[in-house]
Amino acid sequence: MTTEKSCFDDTSSGQGVEDKATVSVVGDPESVHVSLGVSDSEKSLKLDKTGLPLVPQPSDDASDPLNFPQWLKIAVLLQVSFLALLGPLNQATVNPAFVPLAAHFHVSTIVASYQTTIAIAFAGIGSFIWVPLANTYGRRPVLLFTTLIAAASSLGSGEALTWSQLIATRVLNGLGTSSFFTLGAGMVSDCFFLHERGRAMGIFTVFLTNSAHIAPIPGGFLGQFISYRWCYYLPAILDFTMFVVMFFCLPETLYLRGSTPVVTDRPILRRMKLWGLRPKGKHLKASDFLRQFIMFKYPTVVLTALYYSVTFTLSSILPAVTSAILFRRLYLFDASSTGLALGVGTLIGSTLGELLGGIVVDRSMYLSRKGKNDGDIVPEVRLQGIWLGAILQPIGLLIWGFCIQYKTIYIGPTMGFGIMCFAIQIISTVLYSYNADSYRPQTPEIAQVLNFGRQTIGMTAGFWAIPLGDKIGYQWMAVTMSLVGIVTFLPVIFLMFHGKTVRDRMGAPTYNRSL
């Protein structure tokens, strides 16, 4: 059988050309820690446009996602990024409308915020179901199925007649949207090389981070001028729209490295199948649902996840769950005004943070590789890009807390929002990229750890934020939370200098190494 030349050529995708060099792999062959040097036998390497070896090395299979043309990689990135945006959007659009929501169900505004808290909590739990399924049957069918769950449950929330019905649909919505955060990060890692991954992860995280900031803008207007129900209908419409787009445009990216290339003259269309792409010999086992907890034993993952979860809670979730109450109390803002104040400042901050964050982490990795004759690649280089975010995050939190306590004009806490979101975007980009570089085959499981930490710690904010601030003062709450953030940052500083030693001592995970 003959096969036509595929559009997935390395040269056509702009990834580089094939050249002769020698390579020796240090430690785990799936790790990014690769050194160039003299070896017993020469091996053909594919290089990027700067002459450095592509990491990881793509196969000769046209169906390998690393060989996708650049336009298709960007299309995948945009789709999974928009899907990541829809996760918090499903949960947070109703936040500015807590007052009419509470009035309809005859509960307090604080109790009304619990339906958001519950959705956030189950968004952290559900991924433990979806990741093993996606690693066996493919990312594409699982994402399509969970997007339908999200759409149906969000529609059900808008139609809920009782408080218990609303809570039940919010549980389902959290379970459905949980896959958006974890599988999306895995698909980004499936498609992009090391030198592209920081910027690609940055785009993914800016959508993820900004979602909770964009949501209050339409949510405020819908809650005030139409009905709080439309704060659920809008996400349902967007979920279903995204389902249709992905059904026709999102290819499968699950790929078993070392597998026999499939002879086909239509590799893109083959990757659009809903089934039949399960890696040969791969079967779902009960142990698959348990071994995903293995990533919790790796210090580099757990320590960065702790810092990320704390700072995300304080910089993104805290403003989201408190603004509807505080801005109404201090400034007599209605739902639409609250949505604009919260959304615009945080959106600007996150966008500026991404413009800086993704570029800096990729540039730092490039300069590190270029400056070493042995081509040594150490993921800890990524962590050096976190400093600006780590410094600005507590500053923004303090501005927010003191401005709320001393009742400055609304521009004050809004500036605090913006600075915190600028910082968390840099922090998110750096930590997602660092972990993907450290354990690339386990990227979905790592994203699951980050998501679980973010959702679990974040869900608590709605319970303690307002009572704590009212009791000790918002300025002292901000000081306390800033100190918590600084303490959880100390292990990240340790990893900057000793992360490689820690990873070498722990070894690499033994599962999914062929992905």
Side-chain angles (χ1 to χ4, degrees):
M1 179 183 291
T2 60
T3 306
E4 296 179 7
K5 181 178 176 64
S6 169
C7 63
F8 290 91
D9 261 4
D10 289 318
T11 53
S12 66
S13 63
Q15 299 303 334
V17 295
E18 202 167 332
D19 199 358
K20 288 284 184 180
T22 58
V23 62
S24 61
V25 180
V26 180
D28 175 24
E30 289 295 334
S31 171
V32 299
H33 185 62
V34 180
S35 296
L36 299 181
V38 178
S39 63
D40 295 334
S41 59
E42 291 191 346
K43 180 180 179 181
S44 180
L45 286 177
K46 296 176 181 177
L47 310 178
D48 65 22
K49 60 184 179 182
T50 67
L52 293 172
L54 291 170
V55 179
Q57 282 285 293
S59 67
D60 295 324
D61 189 350
S63 296
D64 185 347
L66 291 173
N67 291 327
F68 282 0
Q70 198 69 7
W71 65 265
L72 183 57
K73 292 185 179 185
I74 294 173
V76 171
L77 172 62
L78 292 178
Q79 288 177 82
V80 298
S81 296
F82 191 78
L83 200 62
L85 182 146
L86 287 182
L89 192 79
N90 275 260
Q91 300 154 17
T93 301
V94 74
N95 286 357
F98 283 166
V99 173
L101 176 70
H104 178 82
F105 287 103
H106 306 290
V107 297
S108 68
T109 52
I110 293 179
V111 172
S113 70
Y114 294 169
Q115 52 80 41
T116 296
T117 300
I118 287 171
I120 291 174
F122 278 88
I125 297 172
S127 55
F128 290 100
I129 302 172
W130 309 125
V131 169
L133 292 173
N135 284 341
T136 301
Y137 299 106
R139 328 275 201 214
R140 172 175 161 82
V142 173
L143 278 178
L144 289 173
F145 176 66
T146 53
T147 302
L148 281 181
I149 293 177
S153 58
S154 194
L155 179 63
S157 296
E159 291 294 310
L161 299 178
T162 66
W163 183 250
S164 59
Q165 289 176 355
L166 178 62
I167 295 301
T169 56
R170 296 301 272 166
V171 168
L172 291 175
N173 190 257
L175 292 173
T177 58
S178 62
S179 69
F180 300 176
F181 314 114
T182 53
L183 300 187
M187 296 185 80
V188 172
S189 185
D190 289 341
C191 294
F192 289 92
F193 295 103
L194 175 75
H195 67 283
E196 307 167 317
R197 200 176 294 149
R199 194 170 303 181
M201 280 294 185
I203 293 173
F204 177 81
T205 57
V206 80
F207 275 79
L208 173 60
T209 305
N210 267 324
S211 177
H213 312 148
I214 295 172
I217 299 177
F221 284 98
L222 291 172
Q224 181 177 349
F225 296 111
I226 303 179
S227 168
Y228 80 87
R229 296 184 185 276
W230 272 93
C231 295
Y232 299 118
Y233 294 154
L234 176 63
I237 293 170
L238 294 176
D239 290 339
F240 184 73
T241 301
M242 200 62 214
F243 169 83
V244 174
V245 171
M246 293 191 302
F247 185 85
F248 291 104
C249 302
L250 184 67
E252 178 59 66
T253 64
L254 183 67
Y255 183 80
L256 187 65
R257 308 239 150 249
S259 59
T260 304
V262 176
V263 179
T264 176
D265 58 353
R266 294 182 176 180
I268 295 179
L269 290 179
R270 180 178 178 275
R271 285 269 150 183
M272 297 300 296
K273 294 168 60 177
L274 284 177
W275 54 81
L277 294 178
R278 185 178 67 184
K280 187 176 181 180
K282 178 73 173 174
H283 300 283
L284 185 66
K285 303 182 293 293
S287 59
D288 292 336
F289 292 94
L290 298 176
R291 73 179 183 183
Q292 56 187 322
F293 292 94
I294 290 175
M295 297 313 299
F296 282 93
K297 81 174 186 179
Y298 291 90
T300 52
V301 176
V302 173
L303 293 177
T304 53
L306 175 63
Y307 178 61
Y308 167 71
S309 301
V310 169
T311 52
F312 190 93
T313 296
L314 299 178
S315 302
S316 183
I317 298 177
L318 179 66
V321 299
T322 60
S323 293
I325 298 172
L326 293 178
F327 275 49
R328 183 178 180 86
R329 179 192 300 176
L330 299 178
Y331 310 116
L332 302 180
F333 275 18
D334 52 27
S336 59
S337 299
T338 299
L340 286 173
L342 177 62
V344 173
T346 52
L347 180 61
I348 292 174
S350 289
T351 303
L352 292 177
E354 164 49 25
L355 291 176
L356 179 65
I359 295 173
V360 167
V361 294
D362 275 345
R363 185 65 179 171
S364 62
M365 178 61 77
Y366 168 74
L367 292 176
S368 175
R369 295 181 67 194
K370 199 70 173 176
K372 295 184 178 182
N373 294 328
D374 60 0
D376 195 24
I377 307 168
V378 182
E380 282 67 31
V381 172
R382 300 275 198 198
L383 294 178
Q384 297 298 330
I386 204 172
W387 283 105
L388 183 60
I391 293 170
L392 288 179
Q393 190 276 328
I395 292 176
L397 182 57
L398 290 172
I399 291 174
W400 173 82
F402 276 82
C403 289
I404 290 292
Q405 181 64 29
Y406 294 105
K407 302 178 182 179
T408 68
I409 62 172
Y410 72 93
I411 295 297
T414 302
M415 287 183 60
F417 292 162
I419 294 172
M420 283 193 286
C421 289
F422 178 89
I424 193 59
Q425 185 55 46
I426 295 175
I427 292 169
S428 300
T429 299
V430 170
L431 296 184
Y432 265 89
S433 301
Y434 168 67
N435 280 295
D437 289 351
S438 298
Y439 305 108
R440 192 198 69 81
Q442 292 79 32
T443 298
E445 286 80 5
I446 293 172
Q448 185 172 307
V449 175
L450 294 172
N451 176 58
F452 178 77
R454 180 185 67 237
Q455 303 298 101
T456 303
I457 296 179
M459 65 159 292
T460 66
F463 295 103
W464 56 259
I466 298 292
L468 179 62
D470 287 344
K471 185 171 184 177
I472 69 172
Y474 287 89
Q475 81 280 34
W476 294 117
M477 185 180 81
V479 170
T480 303
M481 294 299 103
S482 296
L483 291 175
V484 171
I486 292 171
V487 169
T488 56
F489 179 59
L490 296 178
V492 179
I493 299 177
F494 172 80
L495 292 177
M496 290 181 187
F497 302 99
H498 302 287
K500 180 181 180 301
T501 302
V502 173
R503 288 186 295 106
D504 290 346
R505 185 172 299 172
M506 292 295 299
T510 57
Y511 69 97
N512 290 351
R513 295 178 66 176
S514 58
L515 296 181

